[in-house]
Amino acid sequence: MADEVPATVQGIYEEVLRRNPGETEFHQAVREVLESLAVVLDRHSEYSEMKTVERICEPERQIIFRVPWQDDSGEVQINRGFRVEFNSALGPYKGGLRFHPSVNLGIVKFLGFEQIFKNALTGMPIGGGKGGSDFDPKGRSDSEVMRFCQSFMTELYRHLGEYTDVPAGDIGVGAREIGYLFGQYKRITNRYESGVLTGKGLGWGGALVRTEATGYGAAFFADAMMQARGESFDGRRVVVSGSGNVAVYGIEKVHQLGGTVVACSDSSGYVVDEKGIDLEVLKQVKEVERARIEAYADRVPSASFVAGGSVWDVPCEVAIPSATQNELDDAAATTLARNGCRYVVEGANMPTTPEAVRVLKEAGVAFAPGKAANAGGVATSALEMQQNASRDRWTFEHSEARLEEIMRGIHARCHATAEEYGSPGDLVLGANVAGFLEVAEAVHAHGLI
């Protein structure tokens, strides 16, 4: 056991390791929260007596199922489906579905555990859950994706409902997949239950700003961090990793707020454009053509492509990791700090390793954890649920204003909680403690269930 785990929570962490062997991402997520909660347990003995933390670390329900389907050549394929319904103290389980070869139970549990606190921080009535499959939609035809989604939903539907569990998209699950999933749910249940899935198409129950929400939200959160220090995005160099949904719309909002994003990436390498990333070209390359990031450099004379390497080698004042978990390690954090980076804002789920977080903290770099900074996606999903429940649709401007209000509110809450618990400016502790207290109160109110 490493020394950093406080004695107050060491026993809880050891029990999590014992009960969940081999699930390293889940262990990492739990540990990061537990390190913040020692100060809470010192003040609130009832949480120790009622084993509140232990209960929150144990999912309410874990569902694993077989997903058989037939590809275009007639060959039978077998994938594995997951849904971890982690905590429903604040509302129906809410969290995305991820279709990617890396998906396993440990990753789904890590994402679901993070989702509990992220959802709590939004102030919306939603619990935490996550799901997905080791199916890879890359290179598959629309017909193959449809057959897989229909098989997947044929099992999952019995566990869902607008008052029970409301999935959304994640990596590998966009509007196309949500459409196929919703169609099969409707077919099986004979109910047009719009609120059972979020991230839907605009013509059939979807919400404006949902596509932009996570990226926009991370930029709003970063802006709130800077304002707390009397600063702003104006004239700042920004690097965003990734070039998917979160990255693209994070770049868009950073530019609107006055910053200049000079680099972004994908799994093949990264591009640097000192004039600022041209969003129209980036959207054409990634959203329309689904091409590699090198294609951006081929079309923009001011841009250069670097194969492989680390996008964090590009000097910047603000870094927004928006690709995947554990992408920013201690070496990258050291480089960022040395090059003058002042803010790191997580656009993805847990993209910064614990070692990197320590490096950033020691270097005085302001750091925002994903459970706070990337809550914009799920916040807007909850707004989509509101609109579905009231058979209404809001304007883009109204939806964006609500998103900005929620994100700035999350920052204010994390900032105030960090101060209250003796660690001013520590947004990791602020987010973990604020989210935990919200969930813990509801857990106690509902009794021992």
Side-chain angles (χ1 to χ4, degrees):
M1 175 75 59
D3 296 333
E4 296 86 17
V5 179
T8 319
V9 295
Q10 184 170 320
I12 300 172
Y13 183 62
E14 287 175 348
E15 185 66 3
V16 167
L17 294 180
R18 186 188 70 79
R19 292 170 70 91
N20 305 276
E23 297 174 353
T24 53
E25 293 87 0
F26 179 51
H27 300 161
Q28 181 183 334
V30 170
R31 176 176 178 148
E32 190 249 297
V33 170
L34 290 181
E35 286 175 355
S36 299
L37 293 186
V39 292
V40 178
L41 298 180
D42 287 340
R43 289 194 195 182
H44 299 276
S45 60
E46 67 272 20
Y47 295 144
S48 296
E49 291 160 13
M50 292 302 296
K51 301 264 177 92
T52 309
V53 180
E54 292 91 328
R55 285 155 67 191
I56 293 174
C57 287
E58 185 66 24
E60 292 174 13
R61 190 174 295 108
Q62 301 180 61
I63 302 147
I64 305 176
F65 53 97
R66 181 178 64 203
V67 188
W69 59 283
Q70 210 164 21
D71 66 21
D72 287 343
S73 65
E75 187 176 345
V76 171
Q77 304 285 340
I78 301 161
N79 287 99
R80 182 173 289 176
F82 303 90
R83 188 69 180 171
V84 174
E85 297 177 333
F86 223 119
N87 191 287
S88 60
L90 297 177
Y93 309 106
K94 184 85 194 80
L97 297 170
R98 175 175 294 191
F99 291 171
H100 192 271
S102 66
V103 169
N104 57 43
L105 185 59
I107 284 179
V108 173
K109 282 165 71 174
F110 129 61
L111 293 166
F113 185 73
E114 287 277 292
Q115 202 79 43
I116 300 169
F117 306 103
K118 182 191 301 185
N119 293 1
L121 287 171
T122 68
M124 310 294 276
I126 43 178
K130 204 76 180 186
S133 173
D134 57 2
F135 169 73
D136 189 357
K138 275 188 183 168
R140 294 292 181 183
S141 69
D142 286 352
S143 296
E144 289 176 320
V145 172
M146 181 183 72
R147 287 194 291 273
F148 171 81
C149 287
Q150 289 175 340
S151 181
F152 183 83
M153 184 54 84
T154 299
E155 170 57 33
L156 188 63
Y157 89 93
R158 68 190 79 244
H159 307 289
L160 305 183
E162 59 185 322
Y163 300 110
T164 306
D165 186 353
V166 182
D170 193 79
I171 293 171
V173 179
R176 174 183 63 172
E177 289 76 15
I178 292 291
Y180 294 146
L181 292 165
F182 181 73
Q184 185 72 349
Y185 181 88
K186 181 166 65 78
R187 182 186 195 185
I188 293 170
T189 62
N190 194 31
R191 292 196 301 271
Y192 203 110
E193 198 177 321
S194 295
V196 76
L197 285 166
T198 57
K200 299 182 294 297
L202 292 177
W204 44 280
L208 290 164
V209 188
R210 179 61 193 89
T211 304
E212 298 87 352
T214 309
Y216 275 23
F220 285 138
F221 193 95
D223 195 53
M225 286 175 76
M226 293 180 197
Q227 285 185 6
R229 294 182 168 203
E231 299 177 354
S232 73
F233 264 118
D234 278 348
R236 294 200 183 276
R237 282 174 62 91
V238 183
V239 167
V240 176
S241 69
S243 49
N245 183 268
V246 180
V248 166
Y249 292 100
I251 293 168
E252 183 167 279
K253 185 52 65 176
V254 166
H255 285 174
Q256 289 173 12
L257 291 169
T260 302
V261 178
V262 296
C264 63
S265 64
D266 66 12
S267 55
S268 68
Y270 64 92
V271 291
V272 180
D273 188 345
E274 292 294 341
K275 289 187 175 179
I277 296 295
D278 184 321
L279 210 61
E280 282 190 25
V281 177
L282 184 64
K283 285 182 179 180
Q284 176 66 27
V285 167
K286 301 306 289 189
E287 294 183 345
V288 179
E289 299 169 18
R290 297 179 184 267
R292 308 311 290 163
I293 198 76
E294 186 175 5
Y296 175 92
D298 291 341
R299 296 176 207 187
V300 179
S302 57
S304 57
F305 171 71
V306 180
S310 170
V311 72
W312 308 121
D313 291 341
V314 181
C316 64
E317 293 168 275
V318 184
I320 306 179
S322 305
T324 190
Q325 65 263 15
N326 293 324
E327 58 168 290
L328 201 167
D329 60 15
D330 51 344
T334 302
T335 302
L336 280 171
R338 187 174 61 240
N339 286 338
C341 183
R342 306 200 43 232
Y343 298 90
V344 172
V345 180
E346 292 193 321
N349 291 302
M350 207 169 74
T352 315
T353 67
E355 296 77 19
V357 174
R358 275 193 284 276
V359 168
L360 296 169
K361 197 171 181 179
E362 287 166 10
V365 178
F367 176 76
K371 64 171 61 71
N374 80 9
V378 75
T380 308
S381 281
L383 298 179
E384 183 176 330
M385 292 165 67
Q386 273 187 31
Q387 291 166 78
N388 294 156
S390 60
R391 300 287 193 268
D392 195 6
R393 181 193 278 181
W394 304 342
T395 64
F396 190 97
E397 291 74 20
H398 177 72
S399 300
E400 186 180 355
R402 287 284 286 117
L403 169 63
E404 181 171 3
E405 178 188 3
I406 290 167
M407 294 310 298
R408 294 189 185 278
I410 292 172
H411 176 267
R413 196 169 174 190
C414 295
H415 193 268
T417 304
E419 289 213 356
E420 183 186 344
Y421 280 83
S423 297
D426 186 344
L427 294 179
V428 173
L429 183 137
N432 288 334
V433 171
F436 170 78
L437 290 173
E438 183 95 358
V439 177
E441 280 186 35
V443 165
H444 280 215
H446 298 165
L448 188 54
I449 57 169

